[in-house]
Amino acid sequence: MGKDSKPDDTSSLKLYIRLLKYLKGKTGHLTLSILGFLVFGLSQPMLAKLMEVVIESIEKQDTDARWLLPAMALGVYTFRGIGSFIGNYFNALVGTGVIRDLKLETFKHLTHLPAAFYDSSTQGKLIHNLNASVKLVQNTITNALKTLIREGITIIALVGYVFYLNWQLSMVFLVVAPILLGLVSLAAKRLRKFARRSEKALGNAMQISKEMISNYGLVRSFGSQDYEKARYERAVNKSFEAQLKSRKVGALFTPIAQVIVSCAVASIVFLLLSPSILDQYSAGELIGYLTAIALLPKSIKQLGGIGVTIQQGLVGAEMVFNLLDASPEPDLGTHTTNSVQGKIEFRNLDFKYPKGKQPALENISTIIAPGELIALVGPSGSGKSTLSSLIYRLYEVDSGKIFLDDIDINDYKLDNLRSHIAIVGQNVRLFDDTLRNNIAYGDVAYSDEQIADALRHANAWEFVEKLPLGLDTPVGENGLKFSGGQRQRISLARAFLKDARILILDEATSALDNESETAVAKAIDEITADKTTIVIAHRLKTIQKADRVIVIERGRIVKEASPDQILANSQELSRLEAMLTPTPDQPG
Ligand code: ADP
């Protein structure tokens, strides 16, 4: 057996109990559902009883029964129909309600998980876990719970009835019960193992398809379609094999269980037909008894059929609970303030990514004055993004401290700290929503005038104004309808509107056409005017505008100087140029 094949019964029980907690507040509906299925279940022995009465009436040639019996049958079926409706409807109400709660809770939790959590998984796996797991749980709750209650009640009612008719004979069932239970537990273990394996493979398949879809251009340019197809096929086949194995276990379980129950039924028939027993009962009573035991294998078959669904549901629950059990970002600070001056101090800062081998930053110490414009320069991978991300506590610092206005950033309430910082990334992220909602991103309600004003400051109003739908223009996935320069100006408008005292700007490395370049540069000047700004600079022009240049190499600050000092030193300048993106504004 593989590593993933150790489902122990205690963990199943824990999962069940934890899932049951989601029924809190829904017990009224659940009770109604159980009552409905109870009515439905009870109608089964009633049908057996009806059979008994029919036979007796035939034996007695009772013509009065001509009216009574059809009326009774109609009554039983109406009773059964009402029970079925109430059972199904309230079951659906409970099931879909639990799923809604689980989805909301998981999504909410995901929004609070630390960056390190996202680094440790792939987006495809997370999306698969979020959706598939809830779907699996939903299947269990709506379909399996329904069958479990309905058939469980039916079996209890039928077994109760046959014990009531003749308990000695019915003892045979007590012999087969432990055999059946053993079989259930064996099948359950196998089913869980295969369900886990299948879901893991499906998570990988989701990641591969996500990568292929978002990099479709790259896939075509490298002609790597076959490579991608093979990768996807491997993952899907793995899941297919696991699912097939689980279906096999499920498909084997049902007939085996039925044969075992049939053995019990056959033994009872054998005993029933002994002269001593035949003497004691009327034909009607015997047929009633036989009808009741003959109904049992069907219910057992139905119960066996949901085994796969239940085990898949438990694997789904495991996946959801794994997400819910991941610790959210620590937020122990209590300090809040409406505004900050914007002084930032790094003091003896060391940092290593949880998964990184080398420290990403070492012994960083520097003070950034309020309103200062810092150009952060360094080769790719030197730690510039890491340093700026630590200011808004994307990761927890290992040793050393960062202060904002002389207060440790860990002492701020996380929301409050982040409300003072606006970030404009290199790859502009836009959401599939209207332009208005993309710019006024978040909870705060801004007026159209404020949004237009931000767009004007970001040099973006000129093209937004010309759009037929204006601020209501749908942006589309990742804003691909807009040019690179336009997207950057939209994201600058977003930062402007947030009006945070501190701005972290990762300058785009991709070259823009001259017109966009000038428009973006103007927008940046406008927005950084009165803010403490850290620009991860890729252009010489940006460096020239800075108050101070900080050069980082291999996680360490190697130089801090004014742009003039750096630009005056030709050796220094050529070293710096080698680190920058070659764009038309650079000499040479
Ligand atoms: P820069 O912004 O200067 O290009 P980064 O700050 O992105 O550099 O990266 C600094 C170092 O940290 C690099 O060695 C990089 O490989 C590593 N690194 C960056 N992000 C992560 C991460 N999420 N997990 C592990 N290592 C990372």
Side-chain angles (χ1 to χ4, degrees):
M1 278 198 182
K3 264 187 280 170
D4 56 351
S5 60
K6 286 195 295 182
D8 54 278
D9 293 339
T10 48
S11 75
S12 302
L13 196 65
K14 270 191 203 149
L15 284 173
Y16 279 123
I17 292 172
R18 197 161 166 191
L19 267 179
L20 284 181
K21 286 194 188 136
Y22 286 86
L23 295 175
K24 229 170 152 185
K26 300 181 175 62
T27 38
H29 290 157
L30 187 69
T31 314
L32 276 173
S33 165
I34 294 175
L35 279 177
F37 288 131
L38 191 68
V39 167
F40 180 87
L42 287 177
S43 69
Q44 299 279 64
M46 281 189 205
L47 287 175
K49 178 76 188 166
L50 198 63
M51 197 63 146
E52 181 186 322
V53 183
V54 171
I55 303 276
E56 276 171 0
S57 307
I58 294 171
E59 269 185 347
K60 290 189 210 148
Q61 308 262 311
D62 180 2
T63 46
D64 290 348
R66 198 173 159 201
W67 289 104
L68 184 68
L69 290 182
M72 272 171 73
L74 217 60
V76 172
Y77 275 102
T78 311
F79 187 62
R80 187 180 161 96
I82 294 172
S84 163
F85 171 76
I86 294 180
N88 279 315
Y89 177 72
F90 286 101
N91 174 265
L93 205 64
V94 172
T96 43
V98 169
I99 295 315
R100 182 197 52 203
D101 295 353
L102 258 182
K103 275 199 165 177
L104 293 179
E105 188 183 347
T106 324
F107 189 84
K108 184 174 148 211
H109 192 69
L110 277 175
T111 62
H112 291 287
L113 289 181
F117 170 85
Y118 287 94
D119 288 347
S120 67
S121 186
T122 63
Q123 289 182 8
K125 275 186 198 158
L126 287 177
I127 293 170
H128 176 75
N129 280 8
L130 180 65
N131 292 318
S133 53
V134 174
K135 190 103 202 116
L136 293 174
V137 177
Q138 176 167 21
N139 259 339
T140 304
I141 293 189
T142 44
N143 297 335
L145 189 67
K146 183 169 80 184
T147 315
L148 195 68
I149 296 175
R150 199 185 57 207
E151 300 306 324
I153 289 175
T154 305
I155 291 176
I156 293 170
L158 285 173
V159 170
Y161 183 62
V162 297
F163 267 81
Y164 161 75
L165 287 178
N166 185 329
W167 66 268
Q168 291 99 328
L169 264 186
S170 310
M171 293 292 273
V172 173
F173 285 115
L174 294 186
V175 178
V176 294
I179 305 176
L180 277 178
L181 282 179
L183 199 65
V184 167
S185 140
L186 193 71
K189 280 183 186 162
R190 308 281 298 167
L191 290 174
R192 276 280 275 296
K193 172 182 151 184
F194 296 133
R196 278 201 192 109
R197 200 181 280 173
S198 163
E199 290 311 312
K200 199 172 160 196
L202 285 177
N204 287 335
M206 171 74 94
Q207 174 64 10
I208 295 166
S209 51
K210 196 189 150 292
E211 282 171 350
M212 199 285 286
I213 291 167
S214 48
N215 299 316
Y216 65 92
L218 186 80
V219 172
R220 274 156 193 69
S221 71
F222 274 84
S224 53
Q225 284 101 327
D226 286 343
Y227 174 74
E228 291 296 328
K229 277 187 264 183
R231 247 165 36 112
Y232 189 69
E233 197 176 333
R234 270 199 301 276
V236 172
N237 274 346
K238 242 189 184 158
S239 153
F240 165 79
E241 280 159 22
Q243 282 185 24
L244 201 64
K245 282 184 180 158
S246 103
R247 295 284 157 187
K248 193 163 107 189
V249 174
L252 267 175
F253 171 79
T254 309
I256 293 177
Q258 266 187 314
V259 167
I260 294 172
V261 177
S262 306
C263 287
V265 172
S267 319
I268 290 179
V269 173
F270 176 77
L271 294 172
L272 204 62
L273 292 178
S274 69
S276 61
I277 294 197
L278 280 176
D279 284 350
Q280 287 176 34
Y281 297 97
S282 70
E285 277 170 329
L286 288 177
I287 298 229
Y289 187 88
L290 284 173
T291 309
I293 53 172
L295 285 170
L296 270 173
K298 181 176 163 253
S299 291
I300 286 176
K301 176 178 166 226
Q302 301 233 6
L303 269 191
I306 58 165
V308 177
T309 321
I310 290 186
Q311 294 309 319
Q312 281 176 338
L314 287 179
V315 170
E318 250 171 26
M319 285 153 67
V320 177
F321 294 148
N322 277 344
L323 286 183
L324 288 176
D325 289 342
S327 309
E329 288 180 292
D331 186 11
L332 302 172
T334 50
H335 181 71
T336 57
T337 168
N338 285 334
S339 63
V340 291
Q341 290 197 316
K343 177 184 172 192
I344 302 169
E345 179 181 354
F346 297 96
R347 196 181 292 167
N348 306 325
L349 189 72
D350 290 326
F351 177 72
K352 190 165 99 50
Y353 280 100
K355 284 206 157 173
K357 289 191 186 81
Q358 309 279 346
L361 294 172
E362 279 181 274
N363 200 22
I364 302 280
S365 290
T366 190
I367 298 175
I368 302 171
E372 203 176 4
L373 174 65
I374 299 287
L376 214 52
V377 191
S380 169
S382 56
K384 305 180 294 292
S385 313
T386 308
L387 184 64
S388 44
S389 69
L390 293 181
I391 303 173
Y392 56 96
R393 275 173 56 189
L394 196 58
Y395 294 89
E396 293 299 298
V397 165
D398 297 335
S399 84
K401 284 193 185 309
I402 303 173
F403 299 90
L404 170 60
D405 283 5
D406 299 315
I407 296 169
D408 188 334
I409 56 167
N410 290 320
D411 293 340
Y412 281 84
K413 240 181 127 10
L414 204 50
D415 280 355
N416 189 259
L417 173 76
R418 289 176 181 167
S419 71
H420 303 303
I421 304 168
I423 297 147
V424 178
Q426 188 183 108
N427 299 315
V428 176
R429 302 272 175 218
L430 295 178
F431 296 86
D432 184 13
D433 203 337
T434 59
L435 201 52
R436 176 188 289 102
N437 290 345
N438 261 284
I439 297 164
Y441 184 62
D443 270 344
V444 189
Y446 294 103
S447 70
D448 279 5
E449 201 30 62
Q450 284 172 302
I451 296 174
D453 193 44
L455 282 164
R456 271 187 212 104
H457 283 283
N459 238 328
W461 186 240
E462 52 186 74
F463 69 84
V464 172
E465 204 179 19
K466 289 189 198 126
L467 296 170
L469 293 176
L471 289 178
D472 290 317
T473 306
V475 158
E477 193 168 321
N478 250 326
L480 292 178
K481 285 184 196 161
F482 296 101
S483 74
Q486 288 174 335
R487 281 206 296 271
Q488 276 171 20
R489 283 179 277 162
I490 293 172
S491 76
L492 284 166
R494 188 195 270 165
F496 191 85
L497 197 60
K498 187 173 177 186
D499 195 26
R501 184 77 187 114
I502 297 160
L503 179 69
I504 296 172
L505 188 80
D506 194 348
E507 203 173 42
T509 43
S510 55
L512 299 172
D513 58 78
N514 272 342
E515 202 183 328
S516 292
E517 177 86 44
T518 324
V520 170
K522 257 175 74 184
I524 291 178
D525 286 350
E526 182 82 40
I527 286 166
T528 55
D530 58 346
K531 294 181 163 44
T532 304
T533 310
I534 298 175
V535 189
I536 299 178
H538 299 291
R539 289 177 175 75
L540 209 55
K541 269 188 191 158
T542 317
I543 292 173
Q544 284 162 344
K545 277 185 218 153
D547 296 313
R548 187 159 39 122
V549 181
I550 297 182
V551 184
I552 298 193
E553 276 177 42
R554 276 184 250 114
R556 289 172 174 274
I557 294 181
V558 292
K559 184 145 194 90
E560 280 188 75
S562 71
D564 293 345
Q565 282 170 320
I566 290 199
L567 300 177
N569 181 333
S570 62
Q571 220 183 343
E572 199 70 62
L573 181 65
S574 54
R575 229 163 65 86
L576 203 69
E577 275 174 351
M579 300 173 188
L580 301 176
T581 322
T583 56
D585 66 339
Q586 282 173 42

